[in-house]
Amino acid sequence: MAQGKRQKKRDAGMVTVLWGLMAVLAVWAVGAGVLRLTPQGGQETDPPPPEESLQEPEAPPEPVPEPPPEPEPSAAQQLLETMTLREKVCQLFVVFPVNLAGPDQVTEAGEPTRLALEQYPVGGLIYDRTNMAGKEQVRDMLAAVQSYSRIPLLLACDEEGGRVNRLMATVGTTYIGPMLQYKDQGVGKAAENARIIASDMAALGFNVDFAPVADVWSNPKNTVIGDRAYSDDFSQAADLVAAAVEGFHQGGVACALKHFPGHGDTSADSHNGSVYVYKTLDQLREAELLPFRAGIGAGADMVMIGHLIISGVSEEPALLSPEIVTDLLREELGFTGVVITDSLQMRAMTDVYGAGEIAVGAVLAGVDLLLCPENLEEAVDALTAAVESGEIPESRLDESVLRILTMKEARGLLPEM
């Protein structure tokens, strides 16, 4: 009997302990959110949430943008990187064949020309009437000389029409009269004339015409320009010159606006001596610069600097003036193409300066191409010495060479690298 009572006490104690444990577990479950009390006071049990839902989700890693691919260097840039210092310096010159092959009249490109190009790998050659005997002869001569040069040559002449022509009166290309006589026939005629001249030149192997004349015949006493101009009105000349640039390109040659910053209001001839322009820059901006600005906008490949002294800017010829070449032409007018001098054999230059002095001064002013120095050897040696001494940084030389090569590339002269 007593044993039965003790068993009941033990059972009651275990029940009490179990209820106590259940109460503790219930308190924990409510605190942990496992149990919820119902409105009636009951308990509702939720299944435990998945383990991962108890943690903050990790943000996906930020994508790393792919770096843009490096642009392929142009054919001009690749060619520049292969050139020696002498090749770079010589690339800044365009000369007559006689300056390379000797004193005799040059009507063919033979062994003397090939050897001369090895010694002076110039950027280009300019031809005049003494080099012309017939269409087939010109075609063969130009093809041969082009084959001799590792770096393709600019092959040029002055073919404006009218009294300034090298082919019309010698080998019988299409005759075009002086530009002034077409001034009232509109932009279509200006473009057509240029296209015909360029097509005839390209068919013979030329790739550059030193035209159009962007000077305006505003001074009746001016005979050096005269009817070579497209007009005697600045605004009309601007429209016609821009159309001519497009025509030259349609015909397949590069072209050059000349003679910057404007030779039309002068009375002297730079072939014979110094020529002054007595106008302020503001006056030039309102008049003489209009055709140049229009031609640049139309995509002219080159601008030729005249041997003109702008008295209000500098007492030196324009090609030696950074204010004219760099500040005015490059920066203000935004010209990024090739700047070339007029012929350096004119007395406006040779009466005052030596060939080497001109070459160094012009490059320092911002010029790229030097046309027909009086002494090629002296000019090349002076430029080379200026680069080697640091007077002209090689980076400055490279700027000009790259512009020249880029123009050649644009005209389809450079091979695929």
Side-chain angles (χ1 to χ4, degrees):
M1 186 76 165
Q3 184 176 354
K5 288 181 179 180
R6 285 197 296 273
Q7 183 63 43
K8 287 180 179 180
K9 285 182 180 180
R10 284 197 296 271
D11 291 345
M14 290 181 66
V15 170
T16 301
V17 170
L18 287 170
W19 278 109
L21 287 172
M22 289 176 66
V24 170
L25 287 171
V27 170
W28 171 84
V30 171
V34 177
L35 293 179
R36 293 198 307 274
L37 296 177
T38 66
Q40 292 75 24
Q43 296 175 352
E44 189 175 291
T45 303
D46 285 338
E51 183 177 341
E52 59 268 16
S53 69
L54 299 178
Q55 301 175 356
E56 287 290 328
E58 291 187 9
E62 288 289 330
V64 179
E66 288 285 330
E70 289 290 326
E72 286 290 324
S74 65
Q77 182 65 57
Q78 293 179 65
L79 180 54
L80 174 64
E81 292 170 2
T82 72
M83 293 170 66
T84 65
L85 175 59
R86 185 169 183 85
E87 285 178 320
K88 291 178 184 179
V89 169
C90 287
Q91 196 65 198
L92 271 57
F93 293 90
V94 174
V95 300
F96 286 115
V98 70
N99 297 134
L100 289 177
D104 296 331
Q105 179 177 330
V106 177
T107 54
E108 63 179 19
E111 188 67 5
T113 301
R114 188 187 68 79
L115 294 174
L117 282 171
E118 288 183 358
Q119 185 179 4
Y120 289 97
V122 293
L125 295 170
I126 178 173
Y127 293 82
D128 63 19
R129 294 188 185 192
T130 66
N131 307 120
M132 315 299 182
K135 288 183 180 179
E136 198 63 35
Q137 167 265 331
V138 171
R139 192 178 293 114
D140 291 345
M141 176 178 64
L142 298 186
V145 75
Q146 193 68 276
S147 72
Y148 296 153
S149 183
R150 182 178 88 86
I151 302 167
L153 294 160
L154 300 175
L155 300 176
C157 68
D158 290 299
E159 196 74 359
E160 300 172 9
R163 56 191 162 106
V164 179
N165 76 78
R166 308 294 181 250
L167 299 168
M168 299 173 192
T170 56
V171 302
T173 55
T174 309
Y175 180 76
I176 303 291
M179 291 301 106
L180 193 69
Q181 78 176 42
Y182 304 101
K183 75 183 186 73
D184 295 323
Q185 296 185 35
V187 295
K189 188 62 174 177
E192 179 189 11
N193 284 340
R195 180 186 56 76
I196 291 170
I197 292 171
S199 298
D200 286 350
M201 293 179 68
L204 297 176
F206 290 99
N207 50 49
V208 173
D209 189 3
F210 290 136
V213 171
D215 307 307
V216 178
W217 191 33
S218 57
N219 183 348
K221 296 179 180 179
N222 184 322
T223 57
V224 67
I225 299 300
D227 62 1
R228 297 167 64 191
Y230 278 73
S231 179
D232 52 4
D233 175 83
F234 293 102
S235 180
Q236 183 183 50
D239 293 338
L240 298 175
V241 165
V245 169
E246 295 175 3
F248 283 117
H249 287 165
Q250 290 167 4
V253 302
C255 64
L257 306 172
K258 60 186 187 185
H259 309 80
F260 190 84
H263 207 323
D265 193 26
T266 63
S267 56
D269 185 344
S270 52
H271 290 83
N272 304 322
S274 298
V275 176
Y276 285 81
V277 175
Y278 299 102
K279 286 191 172 184
T280 67
L281 282 180
D282 282 341
Q283 289 173 320
L284 292 174
R285 291 181 182 108
E286 293 171 1
E288 273 80 2
L289 296 186
L290 295 181
F292 289 98
R293 191 183 293 275
I296 289 169
D301 309 272
M302 291 181 280
V303 172
M304 180 180 287
I305 305 290
H307 302 320
L308 308 169
I309 298 173
I310 316 303
S311 59
V313 177
S314 172
E315 285 304 309
E316 292 189 301
L319 76 157
L320 301 178
S321 169
E323 293 84 2
I324 298 296
V325 179
T326 298
D327 297 349
L328 183 60
L329 178 55
R330 289 270 187 228
E331 296 179 7
E332 184 174 329
L333 270 63
F335 182 61
T336 59
V338 172
V339 176
I340 184 171
T341 71
D342 203 347
S343 172
L344 297 176
Q345 296 181 11
M346 295 183 186
R347 289 183 58 188
M349 301 305 297
T350 59
D351 283 355
V352 184
Y353 306 95
E357 185 182 7
I358 294 170
V360 172
V363 172
L364 287 173
V367 168
D368 302 308
L369 268 178
L370 302 158
L371 180 60
C372 300
E374 188 177 34
N375 186 315
L376 177 61
E377 181 180 2
E378 180 184 333
V380 168
D381 289 349
L383 268 183
T384 303
V387 174
E388 290 176 340
S389 71
E391 181 183 2
I392 296 176
E394 189 162 359
S395 60
R396 167 67 193 90
L397 176 65
D398 287 351
E399 287 175 10
S400 285
V401 176
L402 185 58
R403 287 191 195 104
I404 296 163
L405 296 179
T406 299
M407 180 177 71
K408 292 181 177 183
E409 182 179 4
R411 302 316 308 164
L413 299 179
L414 297 192
E416 294 288 336
M417 299 296 287

